[in-house]
Amino acid sequence: MGRDRGTDAFDEMLEELARRRGEFRDLRYVPADFVARLKALGLYRVATPERFGGEPMPPAEFLRRIERISAVDGSTGWVASFGAQLVYLGALPLETQAELYAGGPDVVLAGGLFPVQEAVPTERGFRLNGRWKFASGCMAADIMVVGIPGDDATAGKPRGVLVSPDRLEIVQDWDVVGMQGTGSFDVVAKDVQVDREWSFIRGGTPVIDEPLYRYPAITYVAQSLSVVAAGVARAALDHAEEVGGGRAGITGAPALAERAYYRAGIAEAEATLRSARAYFYEAADESWQAVAAGGQVSDRQNAHMRLSAAHLARICSEVVHKVVSLSGTAAIHRGHRLQDLLGDAQVPQQHAFLGPAMYDAAGAVLMGRPPTVPAFR
């Protein structure tokens, strides 16, 4: 049996990505022509409501696609993962959503919610002035979001404000050792007026009644970022297993695969990654089954999703570090594939959604106590 057309197109995209990932690192962003390829594959309609032409995808299915992209290039996987972030916009008024999707369901969202910047209330909405960081994917965005403080109506949660990209200045200051191609530049607003109906509470109650919008939005975004690390770690292990048998040491020592410590270390890393990955997808599938059956994700299920996402990000970083430590002097050279992967692997675990505090918060919920961090679901 032949492969379906969608599978072929996805594989062709990955082949092009493998050829161009160096270009994206040099640019420091994924260019619009490649984002258009991701768009054509439907990755930016997976969280668009069905009523507006979207094709919502079970989270685990989307996450597996992001993982495959990330195994070729972590930066592109990170930018593609923002297809999940349209779930945030389910809290927008329906009329605003209808206008947002009037041109079609494929919408690329980017922006910087933090640090939240003060906004001056106006008769119709807000006047924005400020500078926001980490606007990943902003160079090819259809709509941008920036963060302003919450108020009495938001229960302390920040408010996101949608702005057309042409009304913001992009400051290309992304100079990092990991995820170099995400284009996570700063964005600046100068006296930008925005109507209130183009704002939403991040993690607020959605006005859309579809299964995906009963899946916790902040948790889904955390998962979509964590799974990038899984792709990066997979690439490191694939590299180790592929090259291990072919290179002898400069001292005349046996090829890596002939050394017991290398074989055992790579095998242990393989088992460690697969174990963390299995927990991650198990938690996602269990929660999706609950909402697909018409129910809700319980606090306990959400805690397992947040815990498994944070754990996966940490384990993936450890796996890549282990591969590098076992690989000898070849891996210390600038431009070596493992050096790129090492830098990329560091980034997801540093995200606020995936940091060490998530272990404490999840543990608290599993023991029947409130989460110890804000925005846990």
Side-chain angles (χ1 to χ4, degrees):
M1 294 179 62
R3 300 188 306 174
D4 64 53
R5 187 173 302 173
T7 300
D8 286 341
F10 197 90
D11 288 344
E12 289 168 2
M13 177 273 293
L14 294 180
E15 291 169 2
E16 179 182 348
L17 178 57
R19 294 192 301 270
R20 298 184 64 187
R21 63 190 175 207
E23 170 196 343
F24 299 170
R25 285 177 183 270
D26 291 342
L27 285 172
R28 294 180 296 156
Y29 61 90
V30 181
D33 72 290
F34 198 84
V35 172
R37 287 208 66 169
L38 301 176
K39 222 186 230 192
L41 291 170
L43 293 173
Y44 292 104
R45 64 171 58 189
V46 298
T48 300
E50 286 185 85
R51 67 185 296 162
F52 298 121
E55 297 175 4
M57 184 180 290
E61 184 178 343
F62 176 70
L63 295 170
R64 286 186 173 91
R65 295 189 185 192
I66 298 304
E67 184 180 10
R68 287 189 65 200
I69 295 170
S70 302
V72 180
D73 180 52
S75 293
T76 303
W78 191 269
V79 171
S81 79
F82 278 52
Q85 298 212 12
L86 291 182
V87 292
Y88 281 150
L89 306 189
L92 284 168
L94 275 177
E95 296 79 5
T96 304
Q97 293 190 52
E99 187 174 345
L100 176 67
Y101 298 117
D106 302 291
V107 173
V108 180
L109 174 68
L113 280 168
F114 296 102
V116 294
Q117 301 290 329
E118 293 298 327
V120 177
T122 65
E123 183 177 346
R124 297 182 57 178
F126 308 97
R127 184 170 72 250
L128 307 178
N129 281 284
R131 180 167 177 158
W132 294 263
K133 302 193 74 63
F134 302 119
S136 303
C138 61
M139 298 296 285
D142 297 311
I143 192 74
M144 300 279 282
V145 59
V146 295
I148 63 174
D151 50 37
D152 292 342
T154 72
K157 295 178 180 178
R159 189 180 291 274
V161 182
L162 295 180
V163 184
S164 174
D166 59 11
R167 303 181 70 196
L168 297 172
E169 176 190 356
I170 295 174
V171 182
Q172 296 191 29
D173 58 350
W174 189 237
D175 185 13
V176 290
V177 297
M179 299 292 177
Q180 295 174 13
T182 59
S184 301
F185 302 130
D186 289 8
V187 293
V188 177
K190 297 178 181 177
D191 290 325
V192 175
Q193 304 275 351
V194 182
D195 292 346
R196 178 172 289 272
E197 56 265 30
W198 284 88
S199 72
F200 63 94
I201 301 170
R202 193 194 68 164
T205 302
V207 299
I208 299 291
D209 185 20
E210 295 179 9
L212 187 60
Y213 286 83
R214 294 196 296 274
Y215 195 91
I218 291 175
T219 298
Y220 190 18
V221 172
Q223 290 175 315
S224 70
L225 299 175
S226 177
V227 81
V228 174
V232 173
R234 179 72 266 155
L237 283 170
D238 287 349
H239 178 87
E241 292 163 14
E242 178 182 348
V243 306
R247 187 180 66 82
I250 61 172
T251 62
L256 290 171
E258 295 177 15
R259 307 178 197 183
Y261 73 83
Y262 186 82
R263 296 192 301 266
I266 296 302
E268 181 183 5
E270 184 77 51
T272 300
L273 173 60
R274 286 176 178 262
S275 298
R277 185 178 177 276
Y279 176 33
F280 174 81
Y281 281 112
E282 175 190 279
D285 284 332
E286 182 181 318
S287 293
W288 177 248
Q289 289 167 14
V291 298
Q296 300 287 334
V297 174
S298 70
D299 288 342
R300 190 174 184 85
Q301 288 172 325
N302 183 69
H304 278 296
M305 288 197 291
R306 294 302 303 265
L307 174 59
S308 65
H311 188 62
L312 181 65
R314 190 184 81 178
I315 289 298
C316 289
S317 179
E318 292 175 357
V319 162
V320 179
H321 276 78
K322 187 175 187 69
V323 171
V324 173
S325 73
L326 293 169
S327 296
T329 55
I332 71 173
H333 293 282
R334 191 183 301 276
H336 191 280
R337 175 69 169 145
L338 286 178
Q339 282 299 319
D340 292 338
L341 296 172
L342 184 64
D344 287 351
Q346 294 181 49
V347 176
Q349 66 172 346
Q350 305 296 341
H351 196 282
F353 284 176
L354 301 170
M358 293 304 123
Y359 286 83
D360 180 40
V365 173
L366 295 176
M367 296 175 198
R369 289 169 170 73
T372 53
V373 298
F376 194 64
R377 69 169 296 160

